Amino acid sequence: EWRQRLYPVGRLDYDASGLLLLTDDGALAHALTHPRFAVRKTYHVLVAGAVGPQALSRLRHGVMLDDGPTAPAHARVLETSPGQTVLELTIREGRKREIKRMCAAVGHPVRALLRVSMGGVELGALPVGKWRRLKPAEVDRLRRSARQDAAPAAGRDD
């Protein structure tokens, strides 16, 4: 009988969607999820209201939450429509419900959350509920991402 353990890399809340990685490499899963390794995770976030420069600045410089300040996030507006904004946020921590708490703290509650990238691996056009194997180059990219020094995110819109 063949037995192999699969490790989820990160988590998504019941009301979030997007990229979720599974691996049989426990050490890699740990390195990709532990805050010390500061692996980048990018989200497209639909929030309530029009996000202005002050809220973006707060996200880019770190937001005070009940469990302490967040690291700076890369934050930019992707799209605006009446009463809502789509943001792209890249973080390196991944604390429990961090994106939702950050957005609420700057006055823009999250309506929808989609993880589009982790450690340089992109979700792309993969349909909801489908999966695919990673290409060797993507696995190499994840391994390199997990070995990087835990430098803080730039916190600006480059």
Coordinates of all heavy atoms in Angstrom, one line a residue, residues 25-124:
D25 N 6.3 17.6 0.1 CA 7.5 18.1 0.7 C 7.2 19.0 1.9 O 6.9 20.1 1.8 CB 8.3 18.9 -0.4 CG 9.7 19.3 0.1 OD1 9.9 19.4 1.3 OD2 10.5 19.6 -0.8
G26 N 7.2 18.3 3.1 CA 6.9 19.1 4.3 C 7.8 20.2 4.6 O 7.3 21.3 5.1
A27 N 9.1 20.1 4.3 CA 10.0 21.2 4.5 C 9.7 22.4 3.6 O 9.7 23.5 4.0 CB 11.4 20.7 4.3
L28 N 9.3 22.1 2.4 CA 9.0 23.2 1.4 C 7.7 23.8 1.9 O 7.6 25.1 1.9 CB 8.8 22.6 0.0 CG 8.4 23.7 -1.0 CD1 9.4 24.8 -1.1 CD2 8.2 23.0 -2.4
A29 N 6.7 23.1 2.3 CA 5.4 23.6 2.8 C 5.7 24.6 4.0 O 5.1 25.7 4.1 CB 4.5 22.5 3.2
H30 N 6.6 24.1 4.9 CA 6.9 24.9 6.1 C 7.6 26.3 5.6 O 7.2 27.3 6.1 CB 7.8 24.2 7.0 CG 8.3 25.0 8.2 ND1 7.5 25.4 9.2 CD2 9.5 25.6 8.4 CE1 8.3 26.1 10.0 NE2 9.5 26.2 9.5
A31 N 8.5 26.2 4.7 CA 9.2 27.4 4.3 C 8.3 28.3 3.6 O 8.5 29.5 3.7 CB 10.4 27.0 3.4
L32 N 7.4 27.8 2.8 CA 6.5 28.7 2.1 C 5.4 29.3 3.0 O 4.9 30.4 2.6 CB 5.8 27.9 1.0 CG 6.7 27.4 -0.2 CD1 5.9 26.5 -1.1 CD2 7.2 28.6 -1.0
T33 N 5.1 28.8 4.1 CA 4.1 29.3 5.0 C 4.6 30.1 6.2 O 3.9 30.9 6.8 CB 3.1 28.2 5.5 OG1 3.9 27.2 6.1 CG2 2.4 27.6 4.3
H34 N 5.8 29.8 6.7 CA 6.3 30.4 7.9 C 6.7 31.9 7.6 O 7.4 32.2 6.6 CB 7.6 29.7 8.4 CG 7.9 30.0 9.8 ND1 8.5 31.2 10.1 CD2 7.7 29.4 11.0 CE1 8.7 31.3 11.4 NE2 8.2 30.2 12.0
P35 N 6.2 32.8 8.4 CA 6.5 34.2 8.2 C 8.0 34.6 8.1 O 8.3 35.5 7.4 CB 5.8 34.9 9.4 CG 4.8 34.0 9.9 CD 5.3 32.6 9.6
R36 N 8.8 33.8 8.7 CA 10.3 34.1 8.7 C 10.8 34.1 7.3 O 11.8 34.8 7.0 CB 11.0 33.1 9.5 CG 12.5 33.2 9.5 CD 13.2 32.3 10.6 NE 12.8 30.9 10.4 CZ 13.7 30.0 9.9 NH1 14.9 30.3 9.6 NH2 13.3 28.7 9.8
F37 N 10.2 33.3 6.4 CA 10.7 33.2 5.0 C 10.1 34.3 4.1 O 10.6 34.5 3.0 CB 10.5 31.8 4.5 CG 11.2 30.8 5.2 CD1 10.7 30.1 6.2 CD2 12.6 30.5 4.9 CE1 11.4 29.1 6.9 CE2 13.3 29.5 5.6 CZ 12.7 28.9 6.6
A38 N 9.1 35.0 4.6 CA 8.5 36.2 3.9 C 8.2 35.9 2.4 O 8.5 36.7 1.5 CB 9.5 37.4 4.0
V39 N 7.6 34.8 2.1 CA 7.2 34.5 0.8 C 6.0 35.3 0.3 O 5.1 35.5 1.1 CB 6.8 33.0 0.6 CG1 6.3 32.6 -0.7 CG2 8.1 32.1 1.0
R40 N 6.1 35.9 -0.9 CA 5.1 36.8 -1.4 C 3.9 36.1 -1.8 O 3.9 35.0 -2.5 CB 5.6 37.6 -2.6 CG 6.7 38.6 -2.2 CD 7.1 39.4 -3.4 NE 8.0 40.4 -2.9 CZ 9.1 40.8 -3.5 NH1 9.4 40.4 -4.7 NH2 9.9 41.8 -3.0
K41 N 2.7 36.6 -1.4 CA 1.4 36.1 -1.7 C 0.6 37.3 -2.3 O 0.5 38.4 -1.6 CB 0.7 35.5 -0.5 CG 1.4 34.3 0.0 CD 1.0 33.9 1.4 CE 1.7 34.7 2.4 NZ 3.2 34.6 2.6
T42 N 0.0 37.2 -3.4 CA -0.7 38.3 -4.1 C -2.2 38.0 -4.2 O -2.5 36.8 -4.6 CB -0.1 38.6 -5.4 OG1 1.3 39.0 -5.3 CG2 -0.8 39.8 -6.1
Y43 N -3.0 39.0 -3.9 CA -4.4 38.8 -3.9 C -5.1 39.9 -4.7 O -4.6 41.0 -4.7 CB -5.0 38.9 -2.4 CG -4.4 37.9 -1.5 CD1 -3.2 38.0 -0.9 CD2 -5.2 36.7 -1.2 CE1 -2.7 37.1 0.0 CE2 -4.7 35.8 -0.3 CZ -3.4 35.9 0.2 OH -2.9 35.0 1.1
H44 N -6.2 39.6 -5.3 CA -7.1 40.6 -5.9 C -8.3 40.7 -4.9 O -8.9 39.7 -4.6 CB -7.6 40.2 -7.3 CG -6.4 40.3 -8.3 ND1 -6.6 40.0 -9.6 CD2 -5.2 40.8 -8.2 CE1 -5.5 40.2 -10.2 NE2 -4.6 40.7 -9.4
V45 N -8.5 41.9 -4.4 CA -9.4 42.1 -3.3 C -10.5 43.1 -3.7 O -10.2 44.2 -4.0 CB -8.7 42.6 -2.1 CG1 -9.6 42.6 -0.8 CG2 -7.4 41.7 -1.8
L46 N -11.8 42.6 -3.7 CA -12.9 43.5 -3.9 C -13.3 44.1 -2.6 O -13.6 43.3 -1.7 CB -14.0 42.8 -4.6 CG -15.3 43.6 -4.8 CD1 -15.1 44.7 -5.8 CD2 -16.5 42.7 -5.2
V47 N -13.2 45.4 -2.4 CA -13.5 46.1 -1.2 C -14.6 47.1 -1.4 O -14.9 47.6 -2.5 CB -12.3 46.8 -0.5 CG1 -11.2 45.8 -0.2 CG2 -11.8 47.9 -1.4
A48 N -15.3 47.4 -0.3 CA -16.4 48.4 -0.3 C -15.7 49.8 -0.3 O -14.7 50.0 0.3 CB -17.2 48.3 1.0
G49 N -16.4 50.7 -1.1 CA -16.0 52.1 -1.1 C -14.9 52.4 -2.1 O -14.3 51.5 -2.8
A50 N -14.6 53.7 -2.2 CA -13.5 54.2 -3.1 C -12.2 54.3 -2.3 O -12.2 55.1 -1.3 CB -13.9 55.5 -3.7
V51 N -11.2 53.5 -2.6 CA -10.0 53.5 -1.9 C -9.1 54.7 -2.3 O -8.7 54.8 -3.5 CB -9.2 52.2 -2.0 CG1 -7.9 52.2 -1.3 CG2 -10.1 51.0 -1.6
G52 N -8.8 55.6 -1.4 CA -8.1 56.8 -1.7 C -6.6 56.7 -1.3 O -6.2 55.6 -0.8
P53 N -5.9 57.7 -1.6 CA -4.4 57.7 -1.3 C -4.0 57.4 0.1 O -3.1 56.8 0.4 CB -3.9 59.1 -1.7 CG -5.0 59.7 -2.6 CD -6.3 59.0 -2.2
Q54 N -4.9 57.9 1.1 CA -4.5 57.7 2.5 C -4.6 56.3 2.9 O -3.7 55.7 3.6 CB -5.4 58.6 3.4 CG -5.1 58.5 4.8 CD -5.9 59.4 5.7 OE1 -7.0 59.9 5.3 NE2 -5.4 59.6 6.9
A55 N -5.7 55.6 2.4 CA -5.8 54.2 2.8 C -4.7 53.4 2.1 O -4.2 52.5 2.7 CB -7.2 53.7 2.3
L56 N -4.4 53.7 0.8 CA -3.3 53.0 0.2 C -2.0 53.2 0.9 O -1.2 52.2 1.1 CB -3.1 53.5 -1.3 CG -4.1 52.9 -2.3 CD1 -3.9 53.6 -3.7 CD2 -4.0 51.4 -2.4
S57 N -1.7 54.4 1.4 CA -0.5 54.7 2.1 C -0.4 53.9 3.4 O 0.6 53.3 3.7 CB -0.4 56.2 2.4 OG 0.7 56.5 3.1
R58 N -1.5 53.8 4.1 CA -1.6 53.0 5.3 C -1.2 51.5 5.0 O -0.5 50.9 5.7 CB -2.9 53.1 6.0 CG -3.1 54.5 6.7 CD -4.4 54.5 7.5 NE -4.4 53.6 8.6 CZ -5.5 53.2 9.2 NH1 -6.7 53.7 8.8 NH2 -5.5 52.4 10.2
L59 N -1.8 51.0 3.9 CA -1.6 49.6 3.6 C -0.1 49.4 3.2 O 0.5 48.4 3.6 CB -2.4 49.1 2.4 CG -3.9 49.0 2.7 CD1 -4.7 48.9 1.4 CD2 -4.2 47.9 3.6
R60 N 0.5 50.4 2.5 CA 1.9 50.3 2.1 C 2.9 50.4 3.2 O 4.0 50.0 3.1 CB 2.1 51.4 1.0 CG 1.4 51.1 -0.3 CD 1.6 52.2 -1.3 NE 0.8 52.0 -2.5 CZ 0.4 52.9 -3.3 NH1 0.7 54.2 -3.1 NH2 -0.2 52.6 -4.4
H61 N 2.5 51.1 4.3 CA 3.4 51.3 5.4 C 3.1 50.4 6.6 O 3.9 50.4 7.5 CB 3.3 52.8 5.8 CG 3.9 53.7 4.8 ND1 3.2 54.3 3.8 CD2 5.2 54.0 4.6 CE1 4.0 55.0 3.1 NE2 5.2 54.8 3.5
G62 N 2.1 49.6 6.5 CA 1.8 48.7 7.6 C 0.6 49.2 8.4 O 0.4 50.4 8.6
V63 N -0.3 48.3 8.8 CA -1.5 48.7 9.5 C -1.5 48.1 10.9 O -1.1 46.9 11.0 CB -2.8 48.1 8.7 CG1 -4.1 48.4 9.4 CG2 -2.8 48.7 7.3
M64 N -1.9 48.8 11.9 CA -2.0 48.3 13.2 C -3.2 47.4 13.4 O -4.3 47.9 13.1 CB -2.0 49.5 14.3 CG -2.0 49.0 15.7 SD -0.6 47.9 16.1 CE 0.7 49.0 16.2
L65 N -3.0 46.2 13.8 CA -4.1 45.3 14.0 C -4.1 44.9 15.5 O -3.2 45.2 16.2 CB -4.0 44.0 13.1 CG -4.0 44.2 11.6 CD1 -3.7 42.9 10.9 CD2 -5.3 44.9 11.2
D66 N -5.1 44.2 15.9 CA -5.2 43.8 17.4 C -4.0 42.9 17.8 O -3.7 42.9 19.0 CB -6.5 43.1 17.7 CG -6.8 41.9 16.9 OD1 -6.0 41.5 16.0 OD2 -7.8 41.2 17.2
D67 N -3.3 42.2 16.9 CA -2.2 41.4 17.2 C -0.9 42.0 16.8 O 0.1 41.4 16.6 CB -2.3 40.0 16.7 CG -2.5 39.9 15.2 OD1 -2.8 41.0 14.6 OD2 -2.4 38.8 14.6
G68 N -0.9 43.3 16.6 CA 0.3 44.1 16.2 C 0.3 44.6 14.8 O -0.6 44.3 14.0
P69 N 1.3 45.4 14.4 CA 1.4 46.0 13.1 C 1.7 44.9 12.0 O 2.4 44.0 12.3 CB 2.5 47.0 13.2 CG 3.4 46.5 14.3 CD 2.5 45.7 15.3
T70 N 1.1 45.2 10.9 CA 1.5 44.3 9.7 C 2.7 44.8 9.1 O 3.1 46.0 9.2 CB 0.3 44.3 8.7 OG1 0.2 45.6 8.1 CG2 -1.0 43.9 9.2
A71 N 3.4 44.0 8.3 CA 4.5 44.4 7.5 C 3.9 45.2 6.3 O 2.7 45.1 6.0 CB 5.3 43.2 7.0
P72 N 4.7 46.1 5.8 CA 4.2 46.9 4.6 C 3.8 45.9 3.5 O 4.3 44.9 3.3 CB 5.4 47.7 4.2 CG 6.3 47.8 5.4 CD 6.1 46.5 6.1
A73 N 2.7 46.3 2.8 CA 2.2 45.6 1.7 C 2.4 46.4 0.4 O 2.4 47.6 0.4 CB 0.7 45.3 1.9
H74 N 2.6 45.6 -0.7 CA 2.5 46.3 -2.0 C 1.0 46.4 -2.3 O 0.3 45.4 -2.2 CB 3.2 45.4 -3.0 CG 3.0 45.9 -4.4 ND1 3.9 46.8 -5.0 CD2 2.1 45.6 -5.4 CE1 3.5 47.0 -6.2 NE2 2.4 46.3 -6.5
A75 N 0.6 47.6 -2.6 CA -0.9 47.9 -2.8 C -1.1 48.8 -3.9 O -0.4 49.8 -4.1 CB -1.5 48.5 -1.5
R76 N -2.0 48.4 -4.8 CA -2.4 49.3 -5.9 C -3.9 49.0 -6.3 O -4.4 47.9 -6.1 CB -1.5 49.1 -7.1 CG -1.6 47.8 -7.8 CD -0.6 47.7 -8.9 NE -0.7 46.4 -9.6 CZ -0.9 46.3 -10.9 NH1 -1.1 47.3 -11.7 NH2 -1.0 45.1 -11.4
V77 N -4.5 50.1 -6.8 CA -5.8 50.0 -7.3 C -5.8 49.4 -8.7 O -5.1 49.9 -9.6 CB -6.5 51.3 -7.3 CG1 -7.9 51.3 -8.0 CG2 -6.6 51.9 -5.9
L78 N -6.6 48.3 -8.9 CA -6.7 47.7 -10.2 C -7.9 48.2 -11.0 O -7.9 48.4 -12.2 CB -6.9 46.2 -10.1 CG -5.7 45.4 -9.6 CD1 -6.0 43.9 -9.6 CD2 -4.5 45.6 -10.5
E79 N -9.0 48.5 -10.2 CA -10.3 48.9 -10.9 C -11.2 49.6 -9.9 O -11.2 49.2 -8.7 CB -10.9 47.6 -11.4 CG -12.2 47.7 -12.2 CD -12.7 46.3 -12.5 OE1 -11.8 45.4 -13.0 OE2 -13.9 46.1 -12.4
T80 N -11.9 50.5 -10.3 CA -12.9 51.2 -9.5 C -14.3 51.2 -10.2 O -14.3 51.2 -11.4 CB -12.5 52.6 -9.1 OG1 -12.4 53.4 -10.3 CG2 -11.2 52.7 -8.3
S81 N -15.3 51.1 -9.4 CA -16.7 51.2 -9.9 C -17.5 51.8 -8.8 O -17.0 51.9 -7.6 CB -17.2 49.9 -10.4 OG -17.2 48.9 -9.3
P82 N -18.7 52.3 -9.0 CA -19.4 52.9 -8.0 C -19.6 52.1 -6.7 O -20.0 50.9 -6.8 CB -20.8 53.2 -8.6 CG -20.5 53.3 -10.1 CD -19.4 52.3 -10.3
G83 N -19.1 52.6 -5.6 CA -19.2 51.9 -4.3 C -18.2 50.8 -4.0 O -18.3 50.2 -3.0
Q84 N -17.3 50.5 -4.9 CA -16.3 49.5 -4.7 C -15.0 49.6 -5.5 O -15.0 50.4 -6.4 CB -16.9 48.1 -4.9 CG -17.4 47.9 -6.3 CD -18.2 46.6 -6.4 OE1 -18.7 46.0 -5.5 NE2 -18.3 46.0 -7.6
T85 N -14.0 49.0 -5.0 CA -12.7 49.0 -5.6 C -12.1 47.7 -5.6 O -12.3 46.9 -4.7 CB -11.8 50.0 -4.8 OG1 -12.4 51.3 -4.7 CG2 -10.4 50.1 -5.4
V86 N -11.3 47.3 -6.7 CA -10.5 46.1 -6.7 C -9.1 46.5 -6.5 O -8.5 47.3 -7.2 CB -10.7 45.3 -8.0 CG1 -9.8 44.1 -8.0 CG2 -12.1 45.0 -8.3
L87 N -8.5 46.0 -5.4 CA -7.1 46.2 -5.1 C -6.3 45.0 -5.4 O -6.8 43.8 -5.4 CB -7.0 46.4 -3.6 CG -7.6 47.6 -3.0 CD1 -7.5 47.6 -1.5 CD2 -7.1 48.9 -3.5
E88 N -5.0 45.2 -5.7 CA -4.0 44.1 -5.7 C -3.2 44.3 -4.5 O -2.5 45.4 -4.4 CB -3.2 44.1 -7.0 CG -2.2 43.0 -7.0 CD -1.4 43.0 -8.3 OE1 -0.5 43.8 -8.5 OE2 -1.8 42.2 -9.2
L89 N -3.1 43.4 -3.6 CA -2.3 43.4 -2.4 C -1.3 42.3 -2.4 O -1.7 41.1 -2.6 CB -3.2 43.3 -1.2 CG -4.1 44.5 -0.9 CD1 -5.0 44.2 0.3 CD2 -3.3 45.8 -0.6
T90 N -0.1 42.6 -2.1 CA 1.0 41.5 -2.0 C 1.5 41.7 -0.6 O 2.0 42.7 -0.1 CB 2.1 41.7 -3.0 OG1 1.5 41.6 -4.3 CG2 3.2 40.6 -2.8
I91 N 1.4 40.6 0.2 CA 1.9 40.5 1.5 C 3.0 39.4 1.7 O 3.1 38.6 0.8 CB 0.8 40.3 2.6 CG1 0.1 38.9 2.3 CG2 -0.2 41.4 2.5 CD1 -0.9 38.5 3.4
R92 N 3.7 39.5 2.8 CA 4.7 38.5 3.0 C 4.5 37.7 4.4 O 5.4 36.9 4.7 CB 6.1 39.1 3.0 CG 6.5 39.6 1.6 CD 7.9 40.2 1.7 NE 8.5 40.2 0.3 CZ 9.7 40.0 0.1 NH1 10.6 39.8 1.1 NH2 10.2 40.0 -1.1
E93 N 3.5 38.1 5.1 CA 3.3 37.5 6.4 C 2.3 36.3 6.3 O 2.6 35.2 6.6 CB 2.7 38.5 7.4 CG 3.8 39.5 7.8 CD 3.2 40.5 8.7 OE1 2.3 41.2 8.4 OE2 3.7 40.6 9.9
G94 N 1.0 36.6 6.0 CA 0.0 35.5 6.0 C -0.6 35.2 7.3 O -0.9 34.0 7.6
R95 N -0.8 36.2 8.2 CA -1.4 35.9 9.4 C -2.9 35.6 9.2 O -3.4 35.9 8.1 CB -1.3 37.2 10.3 CG 0.0 37.4 10.9 CD 0.0 38.4 12.0 NE 0.3 39.7 11.4 CZ 0.3 40.8 12.1 NH1 -0.1 40.8 13.4 NH2 0.6 42.0 11.6
K96 N -3.6 35.1 10.2 CA -5.0 34.7 10.0 C -5.8 35.8 9.6 O -5.9 36.9 10.3 CB -5.4 34.1 11.4 CG -6.8 33.4 11.3 CD -7.0 32.7 12.6 CE -8.2 31.8 12.5 NZ -8.5 31.1 13.8
R97 N -6.5 35.7 8.5 CA -7.4 36.7 7.9 C -6.8 38.1 7.8 O -7.4 39.1 8.0 CB -8.7 36.8 8.7 CG -9.6 35.5 8.6 CD -10.9 35.7 9.2 NE -11.0 35.5 10.6 CZ -10.9 34.4 11.3 NH1 -10.7 33.2 10.6 NH2 -11.0 34.3 12.6
E98 N -5.5 38.1 7.5 CA -4.7 39.3 7.5 C -5.2 40.4 6.5 O -5.4 41.5 6.8 CB -3.2 39.1 7.2 CG -2.4 40.3 7.3 CD -0.9 40.0 7.1 OE1 -0.5 38.8 6.8 OE2 -0.1 40.9 7.3
I99 N -5.5 39.9 5.3 CA -6.0 40.8 4.2 C -7.3 41.5 4.7 O -7.5 42.7 4.6 CB -6.1 40.1 2.9 CG1 -4.8 39.7 2.4 CG2 -6.8 41.0 1.9 CD1 -3.9 40.7 1.8
K100 N -8.2 40.6 5.1 CA -9.5 41.1 5.6 C -9.4 42.1 6.7 O -10.1 43.2 6.7 CB -10.4 40.0 6.0 CG -10.8 39.1 4.8 CD -11.6 37.9 5.3 CE -11.9 36.9 4.2 NZ -12.6 35.7 4.6
R101 N -8.6 41.8 7.6 CA -8.4 42.7 8.8 C -7.7 44.0 8.4 O -8.1 45.1 8.9 CB -7.6 42.0 9.9 CG -8.4 40.8 10.5 CD -7.8 40.2 11.7 NE -6.5 39.7 11.5 CZ -5.5 39.7 12.3 NH1 -5.6 40.3 13.5 NH2 -4.3 39.2 12.0
M102 N -6.7 43.9 7.5 CA -6.1 45.1 7.0 C -7.0 46.1 6.3 O -7.0 47.3 6.6 CB -4.9 44.8 6.1 CG -3.7 44.1 6.7 SD -2.5 43.5 5.5 CE -2.0 45.0 4.7
C103 N -7.8 45.5 5.4 CA -8.7 46.3 4.7 C -9.8 46.9 5.6 O -10.1 48.1 5.4 CB -9.4 45.5 3.5 SG -8.2 45.1 2.2
A104 N -10.3 46.2 6.5 CA -11.3 46.7 7.4 C -10.7 47.8 8.3 O -11.4 48.8 8.5 CB -11.8 45.6 8.3
A105 N -9.4 47.7 8.7 CA -8.8 48.7 9.5 C -8.6 50.0 8.8 O -8.5 51.1 9.4 CB -7.4 48.2 10.0
V106 N -8.5 50.0 7.4 CA -8.4 51.2 6.7 C -9.8 51.7 6.1 O -9.8 52.6 5.3 CB -7.3 51.2 5.6 CG1 -6.0 50.9 6.2 CG2 -7.7 50.2 4.5
G107 N -10.8 51.1 6.6 CA -12.2 51.5 6.3 C -12.8 50.9 5.0 O -13.8 51.5 4.5
H108 N -12.3 49.8 4.6 CA -12.8 49.2 3.3 C -13.0 47.7 3.5 O -12.1 46.9 3.1 CB -11.8 49.5 2.1 CG -11.7 51.0 1.9 ND1 -12.7 51.7 1.2 CD2 -10.8 51.9 2.2 CE1 -12.3 52.9 1.1 NE2 -11.2 53.1 1.7
P109 N -14.1 47.3 4.0 CA -14.4 45.9 4.3 C -14.3 45.1 3.0 O -14.7 45.5 1.9 CB -15.8 45.8 4.8 CG -16.1 47.2 5.3 CD -15.2 48.1 4.5
V110 N -13.8 43.9 3.1 CA -13.6 43.0 1.9 C -14.9 42.3 1.5 O -15.7 41.8 2.4 CB -12.6 41.9 2.2 CG1 -12.5 40.8 1.1 CG2 -11.2 42.5 2.4
R111 N -15.2 42.4 0.2 CA -16.4 41.7 -0.3 C -16.1 40.4 -1.0 O -16.9 39.5 -1.0 CB -17.1 42.6 -1.3 CG -17.7 43.9 -0.6 CD -18.5 44.7 -1.6 NE -19.1 45.8 -1.0 CZ -19.7 46.8 -1.6 NH1 -19.6 46.9 -2.9 NH2 -20.2 47.8 -0.9
A112 N -14.9 40.3 -1.6 CA -14.4 39.1 -2.2 C -12.9 39.1 -2.2 O -12.3 40.2 -2.3 CB -14.9 39.0 -3.7
L113 N -12.3 37.9 -2.1 CA -10.9 37.8 -2.0 C -10.4 36.6 -2.9 O -11.0 35.5 -2.8 CB -10.5 37.5 -0.6 CG -9.1 37.3 -0.2 CD1 -8.3 38.6 -0.4 CD2 -9.0 36.9 1.3
L114 N -9.4 36.9 -3.8 CA -8.9 35.9 -4.7 C -7.4 35.9 -4.6 O -6.7 36.9 -4.9 CB -9.3 36.2 -6.1 CG -8.8 35.3 -7.2 CD1 -9.4 33.9 -7.2 CD2 -9.0 35.9 -8.6
R115 N -6.8 34.7 -4.2 CA -5.3 34.6 -4.2 C -4.9 34.3 -5.6 O -5.3 33.3 -6.2 CB -4.8 33.5 -3.3 CG -3.3 33.5 -3.2 CD -2.7 32.4 -2.4 NE -3.1 32.5 -1.0 CZ -3.4 31.4 -0.3 NH1 -3.5 30.2 -0.8 NH2 -3.8 31.6 1.0
V116 N -4.0 35.1 -6.2 CA -3.7 35.0 -7.6 C -2.2 34.5 -7.8 O -1.8 34.1 -8.8 CB -3.9 36.3 -8.4 CG1 -5.4 36.6 -8.5 CG2 -3.1 37.4 -7.9
S117 N -1.4 34.6 -6.7 CA 0.0 34.2 -6.8 C 0.6 33.9 -5.4 O 0.2 34.5 -4.4 CB 0.8 35.4 -7.4 OG 2.2 35.1 -7.5
M118 N 1.5 32.9 -5.4 CA 2.3 32.6 -4.2 C 3.7 32.2 -4.6 O 3.8 31.3 -5.5 CB 1.6 31.5 -3.4 CG 2.3 31.1 -2.2 SD 1.7 29.7 -1.3 CE 0.1 30.3 -0.7
G119 N 4.7 32.8 -4.1 CA 6.0 32.5 -4.3 C 6.4 32.5 -5.8 O 7.2 31.7 -6.2
G120 N 5.7 33.3 -6.6 CA 6.0 33.4 -8.0 C 5.2 32.4 -8.9 O 5.4 32.4 -10.1
V121 N 4.4 31.6 -8.3 CA 3.5 30.7 -9.1 C 2.2 31.4 -9.2 O 1.6 31.9 -8.2 CB 3.3 29.3 -8.4 CG1 2.3 28.5 -9.1 CG2 4.7 28.6 -8.3
E122 N 1.7 31.5 -10.5 CA 0.5 32.2 -10.8 C -0.7 31.3 -10.9 O -0.6 30.2 -11.5 CB 0.7 33.0 -12.1 CG 1.9 34.0 -12.1 CD 1.7 35.2 -11.3 OE1 0.5 35.6 -11.1 OE2 2.7 35.7 -10.7
L123 N -1.8 31.8 -10.5 CA -3.1 31.0 -10.7 C -3.5 31.0 -12.2 O -3.9 29.9 -12.7 CB -4.2 31.7 -9.9 CG -5.6 31.1 -10.1 CD1 -5.7 29.7 -9.6 CD2 -6.6 32.0 -9.3
G124 N -3.3 32.1 -12.8 CA -3.6 32.1 -14.3 C -5.1 31.9 -14.5 O -6.0 32.3 -13.7

